[in-house]
Amino acid sequence: MTSRTPSLTRPTRPATRRLLSVCGALLAALLCALSFGASPAAAHAALTATDPADGAVVKTAPEQVRLTFSEGVLLSRDSVRILDPKSNRVDTGNPAHVGGKSSTAAVALRPGLPNGTYTVAWKVVSEDSHPVAGAFTFSIGAPSKTKAKVPSDAGADGTVETLYDIVRYVAYGGFAALVGGCVFAGLCRSSRAVQKLAVGGWVALFSATLLLLLLRGPYTNGEGIGGIFDLGGLGDVLSTKPGAALLSRLLLLGAAALFLAVLFGSYARRAADEDPGRRQDLAFGLAFGGTVLSVGIAATWAMAEHASVGIQSKVAMPVDVVHLLAVGVWLGGLAALVVTLRTGEPIGRSAVHRFSRLAFGSVVVLVLTGVYQSWRQVGSWDALTDTEYGRWLLVKVGLVAVLIAIASVSRRWTGRLVDAPAAGPDDKDDKAGKKADEKATEETETATEEAEDGDETAEGTAADPVRTAQLARQKAAVAKATTLRARYGDLARGSLYRSVLAETVVAVVLLAVATQLSTTQPGRAASAVASAKDSGTAADTSPTVDPISVEIPYNTGPKSGRGKAIFMLDPALPGDNLIHVFTFDLADRPVDAAEAKVTLTLPKKNIGPLSVPLEHVATGHWSAKSFQLPMGGTWRLALTVRTSDIDQVTETRTLKIGQ
């Protein structure tokens, strides 16, 4: 008898492939945007003020240097270092908070410091677990020709930061799979596929948490990947709030492993228990224990990230816990429904309907808690478009809208499952489903008969490897035909599978956007920093660039008109710059001139001369806090010093800016 491999005619398969292609393209595009379109993770605690101010020139050395941040920060021994022009430390170490305010840091200076430019290099960890670093300068008496150099890569190591963000994403995904899989198994249907999903979520979350704990030290200290082997640094991590949260999560996951064993072991075996009271007692215990564990695990995020800092933190933390649980129930439940439908395992219509109601309730909770979180983190309508956090939030809102739209389609097919009427003359969809089901059944039976015939023949031809392989293929085809018939034979079931699959793909992208939001400075904090910079009270947190400093001797004629001037341009880049002009006599003492004027010209581009609006600040000191240079190039500086009504001189120099 000629054997043939059974085939299952299913006109819906090309549509499924097209759906997967579209969803895959959406996922790839958004992940590319996350990977390449976003700037490096912004620090959540931003420097809003310093004393002395950035670029200030003070007459005498201050007793201490004080920094103020937009939110609380964690300090270490070397969080604030003050370096003299020769890069030697001149602070006493061990910075401390001022007046018990965690958003401040102060370190004392050694007595007897000479005049010159001093660099303040700082590196702290914000209370929501993200490292931030920067540097600024101030001068005592007068600026010096040189200043200390600080590394330009003061933040986290690039490799460590990328790995840390990836592991954070895995942790969120594992949490959703664990919570959603367990809830689906308890309320809707438990199966082998759902069990694998929940256990896989536990493994992913446990592994990611352990990696985050090992990476935490190198991430905050700016070390390379080799820092994960520093067990001494691990002890320092555990003494911080983020480290304690990660350790607590590991302990809770240990208890969650026992919960999974009971849920998919004792509880599953008692599904058909004749004593409903015993099964009900076990179900109540599992529901209570699972709720406690889920809340505890979600709280490990809330206690160490955005929700734990800023306004209304006592309200924001429980709201964040509820938000995370709703995410897990909805997105993890979607994944559980997908794997159940995909494997073709039987699932009652009432079970699908229960999940539909549960998902709808989760969406309502997500919207309510999300609105509150958005208001708390963004702060204003302008911040939605003017800050990176606001723009990512708009992307997240758009994805949620797409997800809800697809979910409405899924609910419609769920209704068809629940309320499917008997086939009538006008019920074309049900007829199509029946035809597909009958065709699949016929082909499956044919394949089964051929396989049975093959089994009889195999008794006499067991030594024939070709025939044995042919029989194995026939049996595999039977199993595949049965699965595909269960998945696609019913039109409503097949359509529900495709719509839920689309929801799951969009949910994966949504989790990636949520992870990006958790590493981006909130809009409210970013707006506060921008306002502080506009008022001139904030220091720039970006790595410092050596400014241009030019010493220009001048002689206007009389003996009292001889001296030198120092012109400083900071950061000497296109855009906003800070300009200082200092005048000294022959004994290097600050001396006032009747007038000092500066112009800048870019001959190659026919730009200028641009007049610099200098303001007299102190004896022998003029400055312009904000001067815009339109572009880089070789600029010509013209400095005019007037010492009397008739005595003045103009000196010129060449400056290479932005080159």
Side-chain angles (χ1 to χ4, degrees):
M1 180 179 63
T2 303
S3 64
R4 58 184 177 88
T5 302
S7 61
L8 183 60
T9 303
R10 46 188 190 279
T12 56
R13 288 293 285 168
T16 302
R17 293 193 185 97
R18 288 195 297 271
L19 176 62
L20 288 173
S21 300
V22 172
C23 293
L26 175 64
L27 175 63
L30 281 173
L31 288 180
C32 286
L34 285 175
S35 302
F36 303 107
S39 60
H44 295 190
L47 187 64
T48 58
T50 64
D51 184 16
D54 183 21
V57 178
V58 296
K59 294 182 179 180
T60 59
E63 295 182 358
Q64 66 176 11
V65 172
R66 176 174 175 174
L67 296 82
T68 304
F69 297 89
S70 60
E71 65 179 47
V73 295
L74 307 176
L75 302 176
S76 63
R77 177 178 176 80
D78 294 325
S79 287
V80 182
R81 297 176 297 129
I82 304 178
L83 310 175
D84 65 12
K86 297 181 180 179
S87 299
N88 297 317
R89 289 190 65 168
V90 294
D91 60 276
T92 59
N94 294 320
H97 298 301
V98 180
K101 296 182 178 179
S102 61
S103 60
T104 61
V107 64
L109 290 172
R110 296 174 184 171
L113 296 180
N115 291 351
T117 299
Y118 292 81
T119 301
V120 182
W122 53 273
K123 180 188 293 185
V124 297
V125 178
S126 62
E127 285 188 342
D128 60 359
S129 78
H130 298 277
V132 53
F136 65 95
T137 62
F138 69 93
S139 300
I140 301 175
S144 54
K145 295 181 180 180
T146 60
K147 69 173 185 178
K149 294 183 180 294
V150 295
S152 59
D153 56 345
D157 177 78
T159 302
V160 171
E161 185 175 13
T162 300
L163 183 59
Y164 193 85
D165 290 341
I166 292 174
V167 175
R168 282 169 58 86
Y169 176 76
V170 173
Y172 280 123
F175 174 77
L178 174 62
V179 173
C182 290
V183 171
F184 189 89
L187 296 180
C188 301
R189 190 191 190 286
S190 178
S191 65
R192 183 68 175 174
V194 175
Q195 178 181 350
K196 288 181 178 179
L197 176 70
V199 173
W202 184 92
V203 172
L205 182 55
F206 185 88
S207 303
T209 302
L210 186 60
L211 281 174
L212 287 173
L213 196 59
L214 295 175
L215 288 169
R216 184 69 196 167
Y219 176 69
T220 57
N221 297 329
E223 301 174 358
I225 192 68
I228 62 175
F229 302 106
D230 182 8
L231 298 182
L234 182 60
D236 295 336
V237 169
L238 293 176
S239 64
T240 64
K241 185 171 66 173
L246 291 172
L247 180 61
S248 300
R249 190 184 303 167
L250 287 176
L251 296 176
L252 288 169
L253 286 172
L258 298 177
F259 173 83
L260 289 174
V262 175
L263 176 63
F264 295 108
S266 302
Y267 183 72
R269 287 194 298 270
R270 293 184 183 180
D273 199 325
E274 296 180 357
D275 185 359
R278 295 176 58 189
R279 184 170 182 270
Q280 187 175 3
D281 291 342
L282 181 58
F284 177 80
L286 284 174
F288 179 79
T291 301
V292 171
L293 287 173
S294 300
V295 170
I297 294 173
T300 60
W301 273 285
M303 67 182 289
E305 295 193 356
H306 282 314
S308 63
V309 297
I311 63 173
Q312 300 182 359
S313 59
K314 293 182 179 179
V315 177
M317 290 178 66
V319 169
D320 193 53
V321 169
V322 174
H323 187 82
L324 286 171
L325 291 176
V327 169
V329 171
W330 184 24
L331 302 187
L334 284 177
L337 182 57
V338 165
V339 297
T340 300
L341 293 172
R342 178 172 179 78
T343 56
E345 296 187 19
I347 178 171
R349 295 174 178 178
S350 60
V352 178
H353 192 58
R354 282 197 301 273
F355 174 74
S356 179
R357 293 196 299 267
L358 181 66
F360 179 78
S362 299
V363 171
V364 173
V365 172
L366 277 174
V367 171
L368 294 177
T369 55
V371 168
Y372 171 76
Q373 288 180 325
S374 300
W375 167 81
R376 181 176 176 271
Q377 298 292 359
V378 177
S380 66
W381 291 107
D382 291 339
L384 280 174
T385 55
D386 294 343
T387 65
E388 183 183 358
Y389 186 92
R391 290 187 288 271
W392 278 114
L393 182 61
L394 291 176
V395 174
K396 181 181 178 181
V397 171
L399 286 172
V400 171
V402 172
L403 206 54
I404 292 176
I406 302 176
S408 66
V409 177
S410 299
R411 283 179 61 83
R412 185 164 65 250
W413 286 113
T414 299
R416 293 286 301 277
L417 281 175
V418 174
D419 301 321
D426 297 328
D427 197 347
K428 298 181 180 179
D429 289 342
D430 286 344
K431 286 182 177 180
K434 280 190 173 183
K435 287 182 179 180
D437 186 71
E438 291 172 359
K439 187 173 182 62
T441 303
E442 180 183 350
E443 294 182 352
T444 301
E445 291 175 352
T446 301
T448 304
E449 292 175 359
E450 293 176 354
E452 291 175 353
D453 293 342
D455 288 338
E456 295 175 359
T457 306
E459 294 179 0
T461 59
D464 186 358
V466 176
R467 183 57 177 166
T468 302
Q470 187 179 41
L471 292 175
R473 288 195 299 271
Q474 289 176 341
K475 291 181 179 180
V478 170
K480 183 177 181 181
T482 303
T483 300
L484 292 175
R485 178 170 61 86
R487 189 190 309 167
Y488 298 107
D490 179 68
L491 178 62
R493 182 185 178 95
S495 300
L496 176 63
Y497 168 72
R498 287 188 292 274
S499 62
V500 174
L501 178 61
E503 284 187 74
T504 305
V505 173
V506 177
V508 171
V509 183
L510 182 62
L511 277 179
V513 174
T515 305
Q516 178 67 24
L517 273 173
S518 69
T519 58
T520 305
Q521 188 178 58
R524 188 183 292 271
S527 298
V529 174
S531 299
K533 287 184 177 180
D534 291 340
S535 62
T537 59
D540 189 1
T541 60
S542 59
T544 59
V545 179
D546 283 343
I548 290 177
S549 179
V550 182
E551 182 177 317
I552 307 173
Y554 65 86
N555 184 353
T556 60
K559 186 176 181 179
S560 60
R562 299 177 184 177
K564 65 179 180 181
I566 294 178
F567 172 84
M568 295 183 65
L569 181 67
D570 190 3
L573 292 171
D576 194 30
N577 284 264
L578 176 66
I579 293 179
H580 292 289
V581 175
F582 300 91
T583 54
F584 303 90
D585 60 15
L586 295 177
D588 286 338
R589 294 172 299 193
V591 60
D592 260 340
E595 185 182 21
K597 295 191 299 183
V598 170
T599 61
L600 291 167
T601 306
L602 186 58
K604 288 187 177 180
K605 299 293 183 179
N606 294 322
I607 297 177
L610 304 179
S611 179
V612 178
L614 294 175
E615 295 182 3
H616 188 262
V617 178
T619 302
H621 181 197
W622 290 262
S623 72
K625 292 184 178 180
S626 179
F627 181 76
Q628 296 290 328
L629 279 173
M631 63 181 65
T634 303
W635 288 76
R636 184 172 68 240
L637 163 68
L639 172 64
T640 300
V641 178
R642 183 169 60 86
T643 56
S644 68
D645 291 340
I646 60 174
D647 298 320
Q648 74 174 36
V649 66
T650 299
E651 300 288 345
T652 61
R653 294 292 187 274
T654 298
L655 309 177
K656 292 185 178 181
I657 299 174
Q659 295 182 339

